[in-house]
Amino acid sequence: MAQEIEMKVLSFQTNGAPHKRPSSLHPRWQRESVYLTVSLQRCSFSFFLKSSFYRTWKRIFCWLILLALGLLGLLQYGHPIVRHLEALIPMGVCPSARMALLRDNFTGLLNPWARPDVLTCTSWGAPIIWDGTFDPAAAQQKALQQNLTIGLTVFAVGRYLEKYLARFLETAERHFMLGQRVVYYVFTERPAAVPRVALAPGRRLRVVRVARERRWQDVSMQRMHTLHEALGGQLGREAHFVLCMDVDQHFRGAFGPEVLAESVAQLHSWHYHWPRRLLPYERDARSAAALVPGDGDFYYHAAVFGGSVAALRGLTSHCARGMQRDRERGLEARWHDESHLNKFFWLHKPAKVLSPEFCWSPEIGRRAEIRRPRLLWAPKEYAVLRD
């Protein structure tokens, strides 16, 4: 190729016809010819190297993009292989200066140093409660001294009542706030179908009739409005703290006063290792539940939340108003009331965060940091229960 270019450079036109290359060239022409030939050869070789390097890295970059998208897709759909890899993502470390100041409203000073494998505090100074970081006996004694009544609310509507409610209440009697005064509030459209469960002294069961909604999404979203009304009525008058839970789970271990605080949020067991930019917040800017990229602390699970009556009145009012505003605009947040709950806890930080041990999904499998699960998800049978 270089030789052909050289011949074209040295050829010239006379009377419209190209001359052949002279058999002998002037010395100056010979030097320029050699220089041009070498330069063209170098340029061709350099261009080859650069283009080859570029193609190689372009290919590698494309494969990395495809690999990242594939892993993200598997993560979104909960593939078991990715779940094992997800456990390797560090949760972060609580600064030593902040750890020394962590206190619990029932157990006094906490012991976050007992769990160096997990994050034990938030950026705003609230404790994240893990097994080993608190003294359950101290929490029990402190609650008894305060002479508390603790409310536990649960919605059992449609087939969820027959499928889950009996086991939920029976296991609660074995593990939930033992030795404390407890009032269960069951919200259902069929009060007569609520199972009879033997209750320990100082524990009561109240059944509240609610309307049957057309869609299961409406049941989920109407919950905040119903809770807000109940907290302003009898429930709010007889309980000091209230925990709100989903019915499709059951207690496995002690669930005591260590979980109580002015406001309590539950880390979602499927998302507590995820980077913040991947958390499933509501991203539709038109929704009242929307969080812009960069906002948010953790992703909280609506299966467990609680606090004082006053704090829960504020939470349920915020969520109910947000869902009503969305409804008027023809919108529905991605994860319904849970999306609005996460927006509330971004704006109003919880005083205490419960680790995934307090609401764990067995489908995830075993995790080294989950030492003692307290509440377990039941298998999801949406095709049967949500018709």
Side-chain angles (χ1 to χ4, degrees):
M1 177 179 176
Q3 186 176 4
E4 291 176 1
I5 295 174
E6 179 190 354
M7 291 177 68
K8 289 180 182 179
V9 171
L10 295 174
S11 66
F12 55 92
Q13 298 272 345
T14 304
N15 297 327
H19 282 257
K20 295 183 180 180
R21 180 180 178 181
S23 57
S24 62
L25 298 174
H26 189 279
R28 184 171 63 83
W29 285 16
Q30 290 179 358
R31 288 194 302 271
E32 292 178 356
S33 175
V34 171
Y35 175 77
L36 181 59
T37 303
V38 172
S39 297
L40 290 172
Q41 288 176 343
R42 286 178 176 174
C43 288
S44 300
F45 184 65
S46 175
F47 176 78
F48 171 77
L49 288 179
K50 288 181 179 179
S51 61
S52 177
F53 179 81
Y54 172 75
R55 286 196 300 269
T56 300
W57 276 104
K58 182 179 179 181
R59 190 180 300 111
I60 293 173
F61 180 74
C62 291
W63 276 110
L64 288 174
I65 291 294
L66 290 173
L67 178 62
L69 291 174
L71 287 174
L72 180 59
L74 292 173
L75 182 65
Q76 294 281 14
Y77 286 97
H79 195 281
I81 294 176
V82 179
R83 285 296 163 195
H84 289 298
L85 296 175
E86 177 188 297
L88 301 177
I89 302 174
M91 293 183 63
V93 178
C94 188
S96 298
R98 192 177 300 158
M99 292 170 69
L101 300 175
L102 288 179
R103 299 183 63 87
D104 180 65
N105 53 333
F106 286 101
T107 63
L109 283 174
L110 294 168
N111 184 22
W113 295 275
R115 296 299 304 270
D117 54 324
V118 292
L119 183 65
T120 54
C121 71
T122 67
S123 61
W124 59 92
I128 302 177
I129 305 299
W130 293 85
D131 182 64
T133 63
F134 62 91
D135 183 351
Q140 178 82 347
Q141 186 62 32
K142 187 75 171 179
L144 289 173
Q145 291 173 0
Q146 296 185 33
N147 197 28
L148 298 176
T149 296
I150 301 156
L152 175 57
T153 71
V154 64
F155 284 70
V157 178
R159 296 178 181 176
Y160 280 74
L161 192 155
E162 289 89 358
K163 182 70 177 177
Y164 300 116
L165 182 58
R167 190 179 189 190
F168 179 89
L169 293 174
E170 289 167 359
T171 57
E173 277 298 288
R174 294 197 294 269
H175 300 290
F176 181 76
M177 301 292 172
L178 298 184
Q180 307 293 333
R181 286 206 308 271
V182 172
V183 55
Y184 298 105
Y185 270 72
V186 176
F187 297 89
T188 180
E189 84 283 21
R190 292 177 291 145
V194 172
R196 296 181 180 274
V197 177
L199 302 178
R203 300 164 79 94
R204 301 185 301 277
L205 173 64
R206 301 195 188 283
V207 180
V208 180
R209 182 186 293 274
V210 295
R212 175 69 186 272
E213 301 293 337
R214 183 175 58 87
R215 304 180 310 146
W216 68 264
Q217 294 95 331
D218 296 324
V219 174
S220 175
M221 292 189 289
Q222 185 65 20
R223 174 172 68 157
M224 292 297 184
H225 175 73
T226 304
L227 285 172
H228 183 73
E229 290 187 338
L231 289 162
Q234 185 177 11
L235 172 59
R237 291 191 297 271
E238 66 180 339
H240 299 91
F241 292 93
V242 178
L243 288 166
C244 309
M245 298 188 181
D246 284 352
V247 71
D248 53 345
Q249 45 195 357
H250 63 274
F251 291 89
R252 173 73 175 273
F255 210 102
E258 64 274 358
V259 306
L260 301 177
E262 183 65 16
S263 60
V264 181
Q266 170 68 58
L267 288 182
H268 201 296
S269 61
W270 285 83
H271 302 302
Y272 70 102
H273 270 290
W274 286 26
R276 182 168 55 181
R277 63 183 176 275
L278 296 181
L279 295 175
Y281 298 126
E282 177 59 42
R283 296 303 187 190
D284 187 342
R286 300 171 300 167
S287 172
L291 288 176
V292 300
D295 285 354
D297 301 302
F298 305 97
Y299 190 78
Y300 303 112
H301 196 181
V304 178
F305 62 93
S308 69
V309 171
L312 278 180
R313 287 270 291 170
L315 183 156
T316 54
S317 175
H318 171 95
C319 294
R321 286 198 312 269
M323 286 183 281
Q324 179 61 32
R325 197 185 85 174
D326 280 3
R327 192 177 296 113
E328 292 170 356
R329 297 180 177 185
L331 301 174
E332 193 169 278
R334 179 183 181 185
W335 293 111
H336 312 108
D337 60 334
E338 187 169 271
S339 297
H340 292 270
L341 179 81
N342 275 273
K343 176 65 174 285
F344 178 85
F345 279 135
W346 162 244
L347 298 173
H348 310 276
K349 310 298 188 190
K352 181 179 289 185
V353 177
L354 303 182
S355 74
E357 292 174 316
F358 287 88
C359 187
W360 183 246
S361 172
E363 290 184 25
I364 298 174
R366 295 182 62 84
R367 289 267 176 92
E369 66 263 25
I370 307 300
R371 296 181 179 178
R372 189 177 300 176
R374 312 304 176 99
L375 189 66
L376 295 178
W377 298 19
K380 306 301 181 183
E381 300 180 23
Y382 295 141
V384 176
L385 298 169
R386 296 178 175 177
D387 56 357

